[in-house]
Each structure stands twice: as structure tokens, then as C-alpha cells.
Amino acid sequence: MPQQTDSTEPEPASPASPDPPPGETRPDRAVVRDALGVGVAVGLSGFAFGVTAVGSGISLAQACALSLFVFTGASQFALVSALAAGGSPLTAAAGAFFLGTRNAFYGLSLSTLLRLPRGVRPAAAHWVIDETSVVALAQPDRRSARIGFTVTGATLFVLWNLTTLLGALGAGALGDTKAWGLDAAGPAVFLALLAPMLRTLAERVTAAVAVVLGLGLLPVLPAGVPVLVAALAAPLVLTGHRLTPAGRGVRPGRSEKREEGPR
């Protein structure tokens, strides 16, 4: 009796995933493509900042100086929004400064990852923002992280300053800038980048409490102050977490005091 053979052919191999497994490098072309995509998409929103800045009473030179020397969109929008709402320059600057401090925490992670030469660190520090940090920290190795950081930073810096100038120049032609809703472009981009980074429950609760504090105090406190008060969300959530069994290191489903077994 002839032996029956298996006529099934082996299944073709599945196409390779675009993202390599941990420990492997990414093609430089793929890193540059992703970095350019982020840099171009966010850099174009500088037009909205230029329009909003001039509409809030800031001169063209001041708007361009903010983009050139501050170069952090959330802080810039917070500053001009507070000024437009009638806040004092000191309060507006304090809110913008507070938002900018997050870049210092990005720098702590990026300094270990990138390990840039001492001579370029001061210049690179100016590019430590949300977008460059997200792209660099998403890479699997140091070389890819350096490429992603550099390409994102250079693209975004050039486009952001160029579109700020164009927006400030075109603000007069647009008429009432508030009617266009361009002041929401910057915060929308910031939230789009921040949302994927809120992975744990504590991070999501902190963000939610900050939003409630910031929005709830808008009608009560002067412009710019609710942003500062929203910072209380972090210690409030951290304190609440430490009071829970998980925060004290107690495993779920087990009492803090070990029960005695049967005698």
C-alpha cells in the first residue's frame, strides 16, 4: 500500500514588520521618514501661533522672537492666550515657564539615550521639546534616536519659525483671528502627542484632575493662574495612590495581615 504523502504546501512567510524587535536597529530611511512627518505636521501649526500672537496684541518682532528663543509651542500659546484674556505679563510668563519645565524632564531621559558630545549639548538642549522627545525615545537604538532627534528638531525649528513669520504677517488679512479658532491648533497638537504617553491609570487620573482644576478655575482666577494651580494634580494623585493597598505594596486579594492557617 503506497504511503500517503502530505500534499499541503508550506505557508508563505508573513511580511516583515516595519518595526524591528527590541535590540535591532531601524533603517535610517524609516527614521528620517517618521521624523520628517512629525516635524512638518507640527511645524505648520506655527502659522496659527503667529496669527494668534498678533491678534492678542503682540508685535510681529515679539512673536518671531518667541518662536526663535522660546521654541516650545505649548508655552508660547499659553503666554499669548493669557495676555489675550487680560492677564498680567508676569502671570502669563509664569504659566508659560511652568509648562516649559516639562522639557527638563525630557532632557534627563534624552541625555542618557543620546549621549551627545559636550560641544553640541547646549544647542541640542534648545530642541528638547515634546516632538523631538517622542520621536527619539521611540527608537530602538542610540543611532536611530540621534537621527530622529536631529531631523525632527531641525525640520520643526525651521518650519515653526518660518510659519510664525507668515502667520504674523497674514494676521491683518484674516481680520478677527478669534473667529478662525486658530488658537486651538497648538493645544490640539500638544494633546495629540501627550495622549499616547498616558499609559498607566495614575497618569490618566493625573491628567484628568489637571483638566478639571484648570477648566474649573478659569471663571474664578485671573488668566494664567489656573495653569499653575493645575500642577497640584500630580501631588494629589500621588498622595491618593500611596493611601491605596497597591501604593503600600499590598498585593490585590490579600489582607495586610497574614491570616493564620488551620491549627
Side-chain angles (χ1 to χ4, degrees):
M1 182 176 181
Q3 185 177 1
Q4 185 177 2
T5 58
D6 187 3
S7 59
T8 60
E9 299 179 358
E11 297 181 358
S14 58
S17 173
D19 295 327
E24 295 188 9
T25 60
R26 289 190 67 194
D28 294 349
R29 183 179 299 179
V31 180
V32 171
R33 178 197 61 209
D34 295 344
L36 285 175
V38 173
V40 171
V42 180
L44 294 177
S45 63
F47 181 86
F49 170 74
V51 173
T52 306
V54 173
S56 65
I58 292 180
S59 67
L60 185 149
Q62 290 172 332
C64 292
L66 281 172
S67 288
L68 185 63
F69 297 110
V70 178
F71 187 54
T72 173
S75 297
Q76 293 178 226
F77 273 103
L79 176 65
V80 298
S81 298
L83 292 177
S88 67
L90 182 60
T91 303
F97 176 80
F98 168 73
L99 285 178
T101 56
R102 71 190 185 281
N103 296 332
F105 296 97
Y106 293 152
L108 294 176
S109 300
L110 291 177
S111 62
T112 303
L113 174 62
L114 300 178
R115 295 190 180 276
L116 297 173
R118 292 179 180 269
V120 301
R121 289 178 186 176
H126 192 50
W127 287 358
V128 176
I129 54 177
D130 300 298
E131 295 80 9
T132 56
S133 302
V134 168
V135 173
L137 294 173
Q139 306 307 321
D141 61 280
R142 179 169 292 122
R143 172 182 170 83
S144 299
R146 285 181 173 181
I147 295 175
F149 177 85
T150 304
V151 175
T152 306
T155 305
L156 187 51
F157 186 77
V158 172
L159 284 179
W160 181 264
N161 283 276
L162 178 61
T163 54
T164 295
L165 174 61
L166 295 176
L169 290 173
L174 292 176
D176 185 9
T177 57
K178 295 181 180 179
W180 293 82
L182 294 176
D183 54 338
V189 172
F190 177 74
L191 291 177
L193 291 168
L194 177 65
M197 302 176 68
L198 303 177
R199 299 171 182 171
T200 65
L201 179 60
E203 292 170 346
R204 295 170 183 170
V205 173
T206 302
V209 174
V211 170
V212 171
L213 287 175
L215 295 180
L217 295 174
L218 274 178
V220 181
L221 298 179
V225 177
V227 175
L228 301 175
V229 179
L232 296 175
L236 286 175
V237 174
L238 181 60
T239 302
H241 176 68
R242 288 180 176 176
L243 296 178
T244 62
R248 297 196 306 268
V250 179
R251 295 183 180 180
R254 296 188 179 184
S255 61
E256 298 182 46
K257 183 178 179 181
R258 181 179 297 178
E259 298 181 357
E260 295 182 2
R263 295 181 179 179

Tab-separated table of all heavy atoms in Angstrom, residues 54 110 119 133 201 225 250 256:
chain	number	residue	atom	x	y	z
A	54	VAL	N	-0.228	87.901	17.155
A	54	VAL	CA	-0.503	89.267	16.693
A	54	VAL	C	-1.925	89.668	17.078
A	54	VAL	O	-2.182	90.827	17.457
A	54	VAL	CB	-0.282	89.374	15.174
A	54	VAL	CG1	-0.733	90.740	14.660
A	54	VAL	CG2	1.190	89.150	14.841
A	110	LEU	N	16.725	62.021	27.641
A	110	LEU	CA	17.448	62.111	26.370
A	110	LEU	C	18.959	62.168	26.568
A	110	LEU	O	19.707	61.692	25.714
A	110	LEU	CB	16.976	63.346	25.598
A	110	LEU	CG	15.551	63.285	25.051
A	110	LEU	CD1	15.183	64.600	24.386
A	110	LEU	CD2	15.392	62.139	24.066
A	119	GLY	N	30.210	69.586	23.244
A	119	GLY	CA	30.167	70.811	22.465
A	119	GLY	C	28.814	71.114	21.841
A	119	GLY	O	28.491	72.280	21.605
A	133	SER	N	11.373	64.666	21.610
A	133	SER	CA	11.495	63.640	22.648
A	133	SER	C	10.705	62.393	22.290
A	133	SER	O	11.183	61.265	22.469
A	133	SER	CB	11.015	64.200	23.991
A	133	SER	OG	11.752	65.344	24.355
A	201	LEU	N	-2.808	54.019	34.864
A	201	LEU	CA	-4.011	54.617	35.441
A	201	LEU	C	-3.669	55.901	36.189
A	201	LEU	O	-4.413	56.893	36.107
A	201	LEU	CB	-4.684	53.617	36.382
A	201	LEU	CG	-5.950	54.111	37.095
A	201	LEU	CD1	-7.018	54.483	36.082
A	201	LEU	CD2	-6.452	53.050	38.065
A	225	VAL	N	-3.339	81.849	35.853
A	225	VAL	CA	-3.208	81.215	37.162
A	225	VAL	C	-3.759	79.790	37.176
A	225	VAL	O	-3.173	78.911	37.822
A	225	VAL	CB	-3.881	82.079	38.247
A	225	VAL	CG1	-3.813	81.394	39.606
A	225	VAL	CG2	-3.218	83.446	38.312
A	250	VAL	N	0.740	46.264	49.028
A	250	VAL	CA	-0.081	45.107	49.374
A	250	VAL	C	-0.645	44.509	48.100
A	250	VAL	O	-1.221	45.209	47.282
A	250	VAL	CB	-1.226	45.522	50.322
A	250	VAL	CG1	-2.098	44.323	50.659
A	250	VAL	CG2	-0.649	46.146	51.575
A	256	GLU	N	-3.625	42.839	54.620
A	256	GLU	CA	-2.321	43.321	55.038
A	256	GLU	C	-1.734	42.417	56.116
A	256	GLU	O	-0.522	42.275	56.236
A	256	GLU	CB	-2.451	44.754	55.548
A	256	GLU	CG	-2.932	45.727	54.475
A	256	GLU	CD	-2.995	47.145	55.004
A	256	GLU	OE1	-2.015	47.558	55.667
A	256	GLU	OE2	-3.995	47.817	54.796
